Amino acid sequence: MSWSVDARPEAPPDWAAFARAHGSFYHEPAWAHALRDAFGFRTTFLTARDARGALGGILPLAEVRSLLGRRRLVSLP
């Protein structure tokens, strides 16, 4: 089976339902948006889809700065 991976700044429409079925509140777009709005993090939503386009995995990420000012991607929560 082949998979495709996509990264985008906003969650695709089918993300929230997948998060509710397979993850937790911390995987929902609302949580990433709350962190973005509160702390100014840039968010990235990674998705994995099978050859038919069905969503098979999600990974919400936030770009944060370390104490030394370097940027890194951190998975949520």
Side-chain angles (χ1 to χ4, degrees), residues 1-5 14 18 47-58:
M1 177 182 282
S2 65
W3 291 86
S4 64
V5 177
D14 52 354
F18 188 91
T47 58
R49 295 181 184 275
D50 66 16
R52 295 169 299 152
L55 191 56
I58 59 174

Side-chain angles (χ1 to χ4, degrees), residues 6 8 10-20 29 45 47 49 55:
D6 182 41
R8 56 181 69 187
E10 291 295 329
D14 52 354
W15 180 291
F18 188 91
R20 281 184 214 106
F45 296 87
T47 58
R49 295 181 184 275
L55 191 56

